Amino acid sequence: MKDAGGAGGGARGRLTARFATEVDWTKVVDPYIPCPDGQYGPDLLERLWSPDLRTADDAYATLHFVCCGDGSSVRPAAPEVLPFLVEAVRDPAVVVRVRTQILETLVVLARAGNDAPAKPGPRLGGRWRTAPAAWSAAWDRAVDALLPLLAADVEGDEDVRAGVASVLARATHRADELIGRFLARFEDEPHLSAAEQLVLAVGELAPHAVGLREDAVVWLRQRTADAGKGEEPDMDDDIEAWIAWMEQHGHDVRPAAVLALRRALRPLRRAPRPL
């Protein structure tokens, strides 16, 4: 396991100790294999930090399965390991591919958590929509921990920032706060892929917003007609024009904005009534 966050052996040892003491491993189990064979332990999280891609990827796949199964539910393991999944996303010592995959898992968990009824309800489409009582508070803490990753000066590439925006777009209970952050971040985001995801995230959150819903819709309409800084000039034809273009900031996110605006204007889906 690499040193977490580039720290020394002491920090690594403290993180490993937390795997053992802060997770209730009796809840981190394979849903289809009886204990003890289906029981996991702290070494599962240790492998997530492995510099070997295959080892880390296998650990990620197992964690995804024990947390959300087929994606329809938040399993009891999820609140237990969620803080460390977020920590892995934040830690540049973790393989970048695994960091982005973890973000995809967080999106799945957030969707399942949002869809789960407050009380046990009917089976929907052949799937049980459930989430443990501890999920809501754990998810809210995860949102707080992920927010700094939207900043420009964090370590990691644009794929991680885009993934974070996609995860935060599912924090519908904090729609107004997050829309404000996304609009501000868009002005400073240097990469098109992350900027597009910020636009899509605004569209996802707008129907859930109260104070900023109209502002979000107006902003998205503006993005549908904004070509940013335009097409990149040919450096060989005019080096000065190319340099001037590079020094500008502005993204053409019109296709993403059209899709986001459609999402922003859709009516909210009502949760099914429990029987």
Side-chain angles (χ1 to χ4, degrees):
M1 174 178 165
K2 274 192 168 185
D3 293 348
R12 179 181 61 192
R14 287 192 294 273
L15 182 60
T16 302
R18 289 177 57 205
F19 296 160
T21 60
E22 296 182 18
V23 175
D24 181 353
W25 289 100
T26 65
K27 297 179 180 179
V28 185
V29 297
D30 188 308
Y32 300 111
I33 300 177
C35 293
D37 293 337
Q39 178 78 59
Y40 296 99
D43 62 303
L44 179 59
L45 284 172
E46 291 180 29
R47 294 199 302 273
L48 195 65
W49 263 261
S50 172
D52 178 69
L53 175 58
R54 176 172 294 183
T55 300
D57 191 56
D58 286 347
Y60 155 75
T62 299
L63 283 161
H64 176 94
F65 183 67
V66 300
C67 284
C68 54
D70 64 359
S72 63
S73 299
V74 179
R75 300 191 59 80
E80 297 297 323
V81 300
L82 181 63
F84 295 108
L85 294 180
V86 172
E87 193 153 345
V89 171
R90 291 161 52 94
D91 193 344
V94 176
V95 179
V96 171
R97 173 178 156 181
V98 172
R99 294 167 71 196
T100 56
Q101 288 179 153
I102 292 171
L103 287 166
E104 293 170 4
T105 294
L106 298 187
V107 169
V108 173
L109 285 169
R111 285 174 174 165
N114 287 344
D115 289 344
K119 297 180 180 179
R123 196 174 188 182
L124 305 174
R127 296 179 175 183
W128 291 106
R129 300 287 187 182
T130 61
W135 170 251
S136 180
W139 166 231
D140 211 38
R141 289 191 294 270
V143 170
D144 288 332
L146 288 169
L147 278 171
L149 288 181
L150 290 174
D153 58 351
V154 298
E155 294 188 53
D157 62 13
E158 62 271 22
D159 291 336
V160 172
R161 290 201 301 279
V164 167
S166 181
V167 173
L168 295 177
R170 275 72 193 176
T172 54
H173 64 302
R174 295 171 61 170
D176 285 278
E177 172 197 353
L178 291 170
I179 287 173
R181 286 179 177 267
F182 291 157
L183 298 188
R185 175 59 201 164
F186 181 84
E187 299 302 321
D188 297 321
E189 176 51 56
H191 292 281
L192 175 61
S193 60
E196 288 176 330
Q197 191 56 59
L198 288 168
V199 170
L200 293 172
V202 171
E204 289 287 348
L205 289 172
H208 304 273
V210 179
L212 290 183
R213 185 179 187 277
E214 292 304 320
D215 289 346
V217 170
V218 169
W219 185 84
L220 289 172
R221 290 190 190 279
Q222 293 171 343
R223 301 288 75 72
T224 64
D226 184 3
K229 59 183 182 179
E231 186 177 354
E232 181 178 357
D234 191 316
M235 184 172 60
D236 295 330
D237 290 344
D238 191 339
I239 184 64
E240 292 184 359
W242 182 82
I243 293 174
W245 183 88
M246 289 294 292
E247 290 176 346
Q248 297 178 52
H249 179 73
H251 297 297
D252 182 355
V253 293
R254 287 176 291 180
V258 170
L259 178 58
L261 185 60
R262 291 171 59 187
R263 293 175 178 175
L265 296 175
R266 70 190 172 191
L268 281 176
R269 182 187 63 181
R270 292 188 176 181
R273 292 182 180 179
L275 297 179

